[in-house]
Amino acid sequence: MNAKKLVLGIQHVLAMFGATVLVPFLTGLNPSLALLAAGIGTLIFHFVSKKIVPVFLGSSFAFIGALTLVLKQDGIGAVKGGVICAGFVYVFMSIIIKVFGVEKVKSFFPPIITGPIIMVIGLRMSPVALSMSGYSNGKFEIRSLIIALSVLITMIVVSILGKSFFKLVPILISVIVGYLVSMSFGIIDFSPIHAANWIGFSEAFSDLSTMPVFKLSSIIAIAPIAFVVFIEHIGDITTNGAVVGKDFFKNPGIHRTMLGDGLATIAAGLLGGPANTTYGENTGVLAVTKVYDPSILRIAACYSIFLSIMGKFGAVLQTVPQPVMGGVSIILFGMIASIGVRTLIDANLDFGHSRNLILSSLILVLGISIDNIVVWNTVSVSGLAVSAFFGVILNKLLPADI
């Protein structure tokens, strides 16, 4: 193993780092376990996909709303159970793809369905971003607002003016700036860092040791999201193959990459991390460096595992103030919604057709306006799941020519 590969592996860790730890920050899960799950999940993915696909797996943003709700209501055990079941949905989809072919499965999730659903994911979380930034009852808390704005402005400047690799890590840079601004206000409690061991999971141990709880309401809240996210997986593998110049749909096959994603998510659920997904940030690194060696991604996975077991490092992550993540989230949740818009634009859909208007309108209104619907005792269904269900059904029932 040469030094060049070790350095290139660090780049991939930096590219995925900000987004991967942001998900546990927003949901209340432990960042150290998210890094551990990302590293182990990536190694599992490479083993299943014949070690030829240069992909890194990180925390999936699509599950943020559901994970936040379940963790608050039912605890880490129920989150584990829901994420494990989401992983089995991926495994199920891999079997379906193998049996029926990817095109048949994709017919249930065309852009007119996936675009609005992705928009709903971002828009449903947008009030949370402002709340974290200090907004409440029509007013901003000035100190929190200043911190959030410092993060927001840094992200914009780095994204627009940054060169080469720096443009890939605007989240990481902006979090560092926000942390420094928070320090100047004296709002950071450093006691967890002093109390943490240099090596060990520290606060993560209780979450790691908690057994999964398979509660029906939690499973319904989390697992169905995987039916939507698998389209993202297909898109990421397509993009990755285009950058590398290989057809990964044929070798190792999209059913294998989907299976790898599923097994990685099951592992994440057992550990107490968020559901995994393929990361476009790391594909961006491939495009910049022109180095497509999959072993470099496995080196990055080992780095991620190493960082996760550094107790002091995990404690530092725990001390990042909420307004810092609020500033990041303002852009991030908006970007998720914008990706949904881009999905519709790239598909060149004609909204002069009533069919497209009906489907998108139904998904947007149901997905955004419905919080949760109680269907039986403690079993509830999120607005996202409701909108996705009706969207998929109506897409098959409505005539194509209306």
Side-chain angles (χ1 to χ4, degrees), residues 157-181:
V157 171
V158 173
S159 299
I160 296 175
L161 302 179
K163 299 294 184 181
S164 62
F165 180 70
F166 288 102
K167 295 188 71 170
L168 295 174
V169 288
I171 293 175
L172 179 60
I173 295 172
S174 62
V175 168
I176 293 174
V177 170
Y179 196 89
L180 294 174
V181 174

Side-chain angles (χ1 to χ4, degrees), residues 347-370:
N348 198 27
L349 293 169
D350 183 2
F351 277 87
H353 288 168
S354 298
R355 185 181 193 277
N356 290 337
L357 285 172
I358 291 170
L359 290 172
S360 61
S361 300
L362 180 72
I363 292 172
L364 289 171
V365 171
L366 292 180
I368 295 173
S369 60
I370 294 176

Side-chain angles (χ1 to χ4, degrees), residues 10-234:
I10 293 173
Q11 286 192 124
H12 279 284
V13 171
L14 289 173
M16 71 83 191
F17 181 87
T20 291
V21 300
L22 179 60
V23 173
F25 278 137
L26 298 178
T27 58
L29 296 176
N30 191 285
S32 294
L33 294 182
L35 287 172
L36 179 65
I40 292 177
T42 298
L43 294 178
I44 291 173
F45 178 92
H46 279 250
F47 177 79
V48 173
S49 59
K50 301 181 180 179
K51 301 180 181 179
I52 62 175
V53 185
V55 155
F56 194 99
L57 300 188
S59 307
S60 175
F61 284 85
F63 292 83
I64 288 176
L67 293 178
T68 304
L69 178 66
V70 172
L71 183 63
K72 182 178 180 180
Q73 292 183 345
D74 303 314
I76 184 63
V79 169
K80 284 187 170 185
V83 172
I84 290 171
C85 290
F88 278 111
V89 171
Y90 284 129
V91 174
F92 172 74
M93 293 304 297
S94 72
I95 296 172
I96 296 298
I97 291 172
K98 177 65 175 177
V99 174
F100 295 100
V102 66
E103 293 302 323
K104 183 68 173 179
V105 176
K106 285 172 65 177
S107 70
F108 285 88
F109 302 92
I112 189 58
I113 301 299
T114 57
I117 287 176
I118 295 171
M119 292 168 65
V120 166
I121 292 172
L123 294 173
R124 278 174 65 92
M125 294 302 296
S126 56
V128 176
L130 287 182
S131 175
M132 294 173 67
S133 302
Y135 180 76
S136 178
N137 298 321
K139 296 180 180 180
F140 276 101
E141 197 275 317
I142 298 300
R143 190 170 57 180
S144 297
L145 177 61
I146 293 173
I147 296 171
L149 283 177
S150 71
V151 173
L152 189 63
I153 292 171
T154 302
M155 281 191 69
I156 294 171
V157 171
V158 173
S159 299
I160 296 175
L161 302 179
K163 299 294 184 181
S164 62
F165 180 70
F166 288 102
K167 295 188 71 170
L168 295 174
V169 288
I171 293 175
L172 179 60
I173 295 172
S174 62
V175 168
I176 293 174
V177 170
Y179 196 89
L180 294 174
V181 174
S182 300
M183 286 176 60
S184 70
F185 280 115
I187 66 171
I188 298 178
D189 178 13
F190 292 103
S191 58
I193 300 176
H194 297 305
N197 297 320
W198 281 102
I199 301 297
F201 283 109
S202 184
E203 295 181 15
F205 182 75
S206 61
D207 290 348
L208 182 65
S209 59
T210 301
M211 294 299 293
V213 176
F214 296 96
K215 187 175 181 180
L216 183 58
S217 59
S218 301
I219 294 172
I220 292 176
I222 296 173
I225 297 174
F227 284 108
V228 177
V229 178
F230 96 94
I231 294 294
E232 174 188 314
H233 174 96
I234 292 172

